[in-house]
Amino acid sequence: MSHLLEVRNLGKTYRSRKGWPWTPKSVAIEPLSFTLEAGEILAVMGETGSGKSTLAQIIGGVDTATSGEILLNGQKLHSNNYPQLCNNIRMIFQDSENSLNAHLNIGKQLEEPLLFNTQLTAAERQERVNLTLQRVGMLREHWEFYPHMLSSGQKQRVCIARAIILEPQIVVADEALVALDPSIRAQIINLMLDLQKDMGISYILVTHSPQIVKHIADKILILYRGKMIAFDKTDIVLEDTQQTYVQQLLHEHLKQNIQYNSDRSAKIAD
């Protein structure tokens, strides 16, 4: 039985100057392999520059790998097969502000993926957009809104709507929660979990937050300077005390938050 997604020896290198073959290569991702099953949430973690976003963009079809291959349901994904990618794997980006077109209303932006990737009629596209808006907690009336008329949380909901409108199997969220206020972040996480339950979506979630990982991730993949140093079920990775970097990444942030809150409480008490 094939996995939903199978990544085999995927690697990425860059040259500092394009077209200069003698310049040294910069390794963004050393060859790595992992799998994702239907309905799973995989958290990808690592410090800044570890290759998290590069990996997310390759899987999402925004970038191309230098080596290796990606299989979806046992079939090889081709970077130039845009219908295959767009209909099955979609992305949510970190900056909802810049990932939305300021000059198009929300309805037109959600309709675009349907225009390019389906044979739906205009009436069917409108109905799909309206249903998708409702699915992410927006109103049909938001069709006529422009991005500047929405709050940050609403913009992220629109980005999620754009990601799910083709009913993909996998959604890749590249730091999609980092810029949100804690209360809004919780709402968006709950929305993503509801969509996972209703639509059977699998997520690849790039994040810095151990709290989010512990709360929702089935598996964790940890990158360090482009190398995969951990990949397993969440509870197994959390309990592995052999790798110091992994433990620091997963636990030090929590300790800092606890210490900050304790210090803050002490000051308030004083």
Side-chain angles (χ1 to χ4, degrees), residues 5-112:
L5 186 78
E6 184 175 0
V7 173
R8 295 178 179 173
N9 298 314
L10 195 74
K12 179 70 176 180
T13 58
Y14 295 95
R15 290 191 185 276
S16 56
R17 292 176 182 267
K18 291 184 177 180
W20 289 25
W22 58 84
T23 57
K25 291 182 179 180
S26 174
V27 178
I29 301 175
E30 293 188 20
L32 55 80
S33 302
F34 66 89
T35 58
L36 178 72
E37 309 302 336
E40 278 190 340
I41 298 178
L42 169 64
V44 180
M45 301 185 71
E47 60 190 10
T48 301
S50 62
K52 304 186 304 298
S53 289
T54 300
L55 176 60
Q57 289 169 9
I58 291 172
I59 294 172
V62 178
D63 201 351
T64 56
T66 308
S67 61
E69 60 183 5
I70 302 173
L71 283 74
L72 181 71
N73 297 315
Q75 301 296 314
K76 185 174 179 179
L77 282 175
H78 298 277
S79 58
N80 59 351
N81 189 339
Y82 298 110
Q84 182 191 29
L85 285 167
C86 290
N87 283 288
N88 292 290
I89 304 176
R90 304 285 289 171
M91 285 198 71
I92 307 170
F93 297 96
Q94 175 179 338
D95 189 350
S96 59
E97 184 77 39
N98 290 326
S99 67
L100 294 174
N101 189 332
H103 305 292
L104 285 180
N105 66 32
I106 299 307
K108 293 295 183 184
Q109 295 191 55
L110 294 183
E111 189 181 22
E112 279 189 340

Side-chain angles (χ1 to χ4, degrees), residues 41-48 52 94 173-182 185-186 189 205-222 234 238 245-257:
I41 298 178
L42 169 64
V44 180
M45 301 185 71
E47 60 190 10
T48 301
K52 304 186 304 298
Q94 175 179 338
D174 186 10
E175 294 284 8
L177 305 171
V178 68
L180 301 174
D181 292 335
R185 187 183 304 134
I189 289 172
L205 181 66
V206 177
T207 180
H208 283 287
S209 172
Q211 296 99 322
I212 293 175
V213 169
K214 292 178 181 182
H215 179 57
I216 69 172
D218 298 295
K219 292 178 181 175
I220 301 174
L221 188 157
I222 296 180
T234 299
L238 291 175
Y245 174 74
V246 173
Q247 292 305 309
Q248 289 177 341
L249 189 67
L250 291 170
H251 298 294
E252 288 301 317
H253 179 71
L254 292 177
K255 291 179 182 177
Q256 291 171 7
N257 280 352

Side-chain angles (χ1 to χ4, degrees), residues 96-258:
S96 59
E97 184 77 39
N98 290 326
S99 67
L100 294 174
N101 189 332
H103 305 292
L104 285 180
N105 66 32
I106 299 307
K108 293 295 183 184
Q109 295 191 55
L110 294 183
E111 189 181 22
E112 279 189 340
L114 301 175
L115 276 168
F116 290 112
N117 296 284
T118 74
Q119 301 298 318
L120 297 176
T121 65
E124 290 170 336
R125 291 195 302 271
Q126 182 173 2
E127 183 62 19
R128 175 77 69 87
V129 170
N130 287 335
L131 289 174
T132 305
L133 282 170
Q134 290 178 305
R135 206 167 208 168
V136 299
M138 306 283 284
L139 302 173
R140 287 173 177 254
E141 288 75 13
H142 282 117
W143 174 295
E144 301 295 341
F145 281 51
Y146 286 81
H148 73 272
M149 302 166 70
L150 303 175
S151 67
S152 59
Q154 288 175 321
K155 289 175 187 174
Q156 198 58 280
R157 287 176 185 269
V158 171
C159 291
I160 292 172
R162 185 173 57 188
I164 68 167
I165 198 160
L166 292 174
E167 300 182 348
Q169 298 183 66
I170 299 170
V171 170
V172 181
D174 186 10
E175 294 284 8
L177 305 171
V178 68
L180 301 174
D181 292 335
S183 60
I184 303 299
R185 187 183 304 134
Q187 293 175 22
I188 296 300
I189 289 172
N190 288 333
L191 170 62
M192 292 174 68
L193 292 174
D194 288 342
L195 292 171
Q196 180 194 33
K197 181 179 178 181
D198 294 341
M199 302 177 67
I201 294 172
S202 296
Y203 290 108
I204 296 176
L205 181 66
V206 177
T207 180
H208 283 287
S209 172
Q211 296 99 322
I212 293 175
V213 169
K214 292 178 181 182
H215 179 57
I216 69 172
D218 298 295
K219 292 178 181 175
I220 301 174
L221 188 157
I222 296 180
L223 293 171
Y224 178 69
R225 296 183 180 179
K227 183 178 180 180
M228 187 177 77
I229 62 172
F231 169 67
D232 215 322
K233 293 181 179 179
T234 299
D235 55 349
I236 294 175
V237 175
L238 291 175
E239 293 170 5
D240 182 6
T241 59
Q242 300 301 311
Q243 299 197 59
T244 305
Y245 174 74
V246 173
Q247 292 305 309
Q248 289 177 341
L249 189 67
L250 291 170
H251 298 294
E252 288 301 317
H253 179 71
L254 292 177
K255 291 179 182 177
Q256 291 171 7
N257 280 352
I258 292 171

